[in-house]
Amino acid sequence: MTAQPLPLPASSAVPSRVDGRMGGLTAQRSTRRLSLSPKYGHGPRTVDVRYLWCGAADAPTVIVQGGISAGRDVTALDGAASPGWWQALVDAGAAIDLDHCRVLSIDWLAPSELGVETISSEDQADALAALLEALGIHRARAFVGASYGAMVALAFAARHPRALERLVLLAGAHRPHPLASAQRSVQRGIVRLGVASGQADEALALARQLAVTTYRGREEFARRFAGAPEFRDGRFRLPVEDYLEHQGRRFVERFDAGRFLALSESIDLHDVTPESIPAPATLIGFASDLLVPLADLCELQRRLHGPATLEVLQSPYGHDGFLKETHQLAPLLRAALA
C-alpha cells in the first residue's frame, strides 16, 4: 500500500510553519497533511505529519530517526532553548554535516492520529515516504535510524527501495528479541494497570524506570550506584532509586500513557524480511546492549540482500550508546555517508 501526499486545503488547521535560516542553512519546521493506509486499519486515512527539514539548500536529504521518545528536533534551530536530541552528531560541520546535506525527521505518529488502535513500523515508514514525495524529494541519500528508528528504516527500505540509496542502522534489527519484548510487555502491563486504577502518570513513571534498567549497561550501573543504602523518609533507599525516579518524572512531563503503549507495542510487532532489502547498509551495535544483542545484528547482516558491514562498539552505556558514544560514532557516520 503506497502512501500518497494530499494537498493542504486552505482551511486546513495545522501548526504554524517556520521557514528560516540557521547560520546560513535552510530550516523548515512544519506540518504536512498526507494520506496513509495503516497496516492495522481499513482504507486510507489522512494525518498531519510534523517534520523538521534543515540543512544546506539543494543538498541531498538524509532521514534521521531515533527511539520512541525522540521527536523531530534532532538538531536545534537558531535561538532554540535546548539542543536537539542528537545535536553533537547532526549540525554544521558534524558527522551528519548540515553544510553538505539536508536532514529530514518526523515526530512519530500515534494510533489516535490515524484513527486506528495499533500503529506499525510500516506506517511510520509510509509516512516518511509520502512526506518525501510531498516535498519533491525523489530519493533520500540515506536513512540513519537508531533503536526504533532503525526498525522503521528497515521497513522503509523494504517497502520503498527506490526512494533510498543506503541504510545506517544503530542498535536496531529486523525483529525484536523475545526477552526484550517480555520486558516491554511488563512495562505495558504496569501502565495499563495504572490507567485502569486512575494512576496513569505514576504507572508511566514506574514503567519508564523499568525501561531505563534495560537501556543502560551493567558496567555503568555498577560504577555509579554501588554505594550503601541510606535510611531516609522512614525506609532504606538504594543509591539507584533517586536516579530512576528522576528519569520517571522527566518522562511523564513529555509523554502520555497512550502514546507510550502504542509505540512500545509497535516495536514488538515489527518484523521485516532482510532478504527483501537491496540497499547497502552499515550496521552499528554495542557489545553491552541488553535489548538488541549482537547475534541479532549478525543475523541481519548475513540475511540482507544488499552489501552490509557491521561495526561493534565497546561502551558501558548499553543500548543508549547511540546517544552517549558520539566520539566513537562520528567517524563511522562520516564514513557511511561519504
Side-chain angles (χ1 to χ4, degrees):
M1 294 179 287
T2 302
Q4 298 293 334
L6 288 182
L8 276 173
S11 60
S12 294
V14 296
S16 60
R17 177 191 186 99
V18 177
D19 289 312
R21 303 189 71 80
M22 36 187 297
L25 304 175
T26 63
Q28 188 179 118
R29 191 175 189 275
S30 188
T31 301
R32 188 65 63 106
R33 182 157 296 165
L34 306 171
S35 175
L36 305 178
S37 295
K39 181 177 181 179
Y40 300 106
H42 302 284
R45 312 289 176 90
T46 58
V47 62
D48 292 330
V49 177
R50 299 174 297 276
Y51 68 93
L52 174 69
W53 190 31
C54 63
D58 301 321
T61 290
V62 175
I63 302 169
V64 178
Q65 295 290 149
I68 64 169
S69 60
R72 59 180 154 172
D73 293 312
V74 60
T75 190
L77 305 177
D78 276 352
S82 59
W85 63 263
W86 230 19
Q87 190 78 40
L89 293 170
V90 182
D91 207 342
I96 302 177
D97 190 353
L98 297 182
D99 286 329
H100 296 97
C101 71
R102 202 167 182 189
V103 162
L104 179 66
S105 186
I106 67 170
D107 286 341
W108 295 126
L109 299 178
S112 59
E113 296 172 293
L114 276 172
V116 295
E117 295 295 324
T118 303
I119 198 158
S120 68
S121 57
E122 292 98 327
D123 297 336
Q124 312 284 8
D126 287 352
L128 279 159
L131 181 59
L132 285 180
E133 187 174 344
L135 295 174
I137 305 167
H138 300 294
R139 200 176 194 202
R141 173 70 182 87
F143 194 136
V144 181
S147 189
Y148 182 57
M151 293 178 162
V152 173
L154 285 163
F156 185 101
R159 295 170 68 80
H160 309 280
R162 295 183 181 179
L164 180 68
E165 290 186 26
R166 68 173 300 109
L167 285 167
V168 184
L169 309 172
L170 298 88
H174 51 298
R175 55 169 175 75
H177 191 278
L179 181 56
S181 292
Q183 292 161 337
R184 281 186 294 268
S185 177
V186 173
Q187 294 164 32
R188 294 194 295 272
I190 292 169
V191 173
R192 292 190 185 104
L193 185 61
V195 171
S197 63
Q199 301 180 84
D201 285 353
E202 294 85 347
L204 182 60
L206 191 59
R208 179 64 172 185
Q209 292 180 46
L210 181 57
V212 167
T213 67
T214 69
Y215 295 157
R216 298 298 181 95
R218 291 183 176 88
E219 180 183 338
E220 183 196 11
F221 271 77
R223 172 171 49 82
R224 293 180 60 184
F225 307 114
E230 174 185 338
F231 193 81
R232 191 188 338 146
D233 300 328
R235 71 175 180 88
F236 282 101
R237 290 182 64 86
L238 303 175
V240 74
E241 288 185 68
D242 287 343
Y243 166 76
L244 292 176
E245 289 174 5
H246 173 71
Q247 295 297 322
R249 287 192 300 270
R250 285 184 56 200
F251 191 68
V252 171
E253 289 171 0
R254 58 193 177 88
F255 235 71
D256 63 72
R259 186 173 183 82
F260 171 80
L261 288 171
L263 293 177
S264 173
E265 181 184 57
S266 185
I267 293 174
D268 290 324
L269 294 174
H270 169 76
D271 189 7
V272 171
T273 303
E275 289 82 359
S276 68
I277 297 174
T282 298
L283 280 57
I284 301 174
F286 300 93
S288 57
D289 193 338
L290 301 177
L291 290 178
V292 185
L294 293 180
D296 284 6
L297 294 182
C298 290
E299 178 187 340
L300 174 59
Q301 179 195 17
R302 184 175 66 252
R303 291 177 57 188
L304 283 168
H305 182 70
T309 60
L310 172 60
E311 303 284 349
V312 178
L313 299 184
Q314 299 297 324
S315 169
Y317 299 113
H319 189 71
D320 273 0
F322 77 89
L323 293 170
K324 304 289 286 185
E325 298 291 357
T326 55
H327 293 295
Q328 288 198 73
L329 288 172
L332 298 179
L333 292 175
R334 286 186 188 278
L337 298 176

